[in-house]
């Protein structure tokens, strides 16, 4: 499903929800151009560490990666819940990813940031899975937490 006319959403709850649901339909079809049409050209899809060789950068790359997931792995995604916040151009969804050829079900959520034009600028994916005991910092790979003002350390513990 290609974004008809290449038009972004207009930042109403209904428009944002329809835009994301149509994006998922394009993903499930494995439609490279369709997926790309929902993103800004320089859009980024971030993932947890070690997933898919890091973030997907660029609308076309994102489309190609989801095309491969559908054609090679039999991937199919559902949106289980969604919340939109039009004033901040953000949305969050909870999803299920059925990797049919591998017999795997993966659940998680994604945070969406839309550009002023109404296209997806960024998706940050978080997965419902066990903590990796080999890692001391568990965060999505390639995301500039420090540069964006996120806390990067906790205050020291006080000795009791």
């Amino acid at each position: 499903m290609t974004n008809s006319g290449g038009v972004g959403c207009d930042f109403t709850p209904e428009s944002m929800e329809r835009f994301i649901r149509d994006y998922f339909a394009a993903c499930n079809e494995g439609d490279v151009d369709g997926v790309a049409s929902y993103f800004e050209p320089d859009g980024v899809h971030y993932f947890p560490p070690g997933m898919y060789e890091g973030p997907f950068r660029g609308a076309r790359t994102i489309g190609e990666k989801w095309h491969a997931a559908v054609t090679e792995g039999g991937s199919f995604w559902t949106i289980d819940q969604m919340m939109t916040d039009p004033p901040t151009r953000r949305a969050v969804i909870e999803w299920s990813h059925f990797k049919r050829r591998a017999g795997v079900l993966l659940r998680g959520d994604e945070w969406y940031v839309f550009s002023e034009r109404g296209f997806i600028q960024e998706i940050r994916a978080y997965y419902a899975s066990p903590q990796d005991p080999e890692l001391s910092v568990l965060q999505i790979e390639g995301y500039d937490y420090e540069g964006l003002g996120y806390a990067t350390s906790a205050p020291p513990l006080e000795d009791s």
Side-chain angles (χ1 to χ4, degrees):
M1 168 174 276
T2 300
N3 179 1
S4 58
V7 177
C9 69
D10 64 8
F11 303 117
T12 64
E14 298 80 15
S15 175
M16 292 177 80
E17 180 172 347
R18 174 57 30 221
F19 196 85
I20 292 170
R21 288 189 183 283
D22 289 348
Y23 160 65
F24 263 65
C27 291
N28 284 327
E29 291 173 9
D31 179 353
V32 174
D33 294 328
V35 169
S37 73
Y38 290 90
F39 283 85
E40 286 292 349
D42 63 346
V44 182
H45 196 311
Y46 294 97
F47 299 96
M51 300 295 302
Y52 313 120
E53 300 87 43
F56 297 168
R57 297 186 183 276
R60 179 99 186 145
T61 297
I62 295 166
E64 290 169 350
K65 295 289 190 175
W66 293 147
H67 170 78
V70 169
T71 58
E72 296 168 18
S75 287
F76 184 86
W77 298 267
T78 62
I79 295 174
D80 303 316
Q81 294 191 66
M82 182 184 311
M83 294 182 355
T84 63
D85 188 19
T88 64
R89 302 189 325 259
R90 295 176 189 269
V92 64
I93 67 164
E94 184 177 38
W95 48 258
S96 297
H97 178 182
F98 297 89
K99 297 181 176 190
R100 295 178 288 189
R101 286 203 173 83
V104 170
L105 168 58
L106 176 63
R107 297 194 195 274
D109 67 48
E110 293 177 337
W111 286 80
Y112 287 70
V113 177
F114 288 84
S115 69
E116 289 180 9
R117 296 182 333 123
F119 293 92
I120 301 167
Q121 183 65 58
E122 156 186 312
I123 298 175
R124 297 187 321 262
Y126 298 90
Y127 289 16
S129 60
Q131 180 174 318
D132 184 339
E134 301 295 316
L135 297 175
S136 61
V137 176
L138 293 103
Q139 59 190 17
I140 55 177
E141 190 172 0
Y143 191 70
D144 186 12
Y145 287 95
E146 185 174 3
L148 293 167
Y150 284 74
T152 57
S153 62
L157 287 171
E158 295 182 22
D159 291 334
S160 305

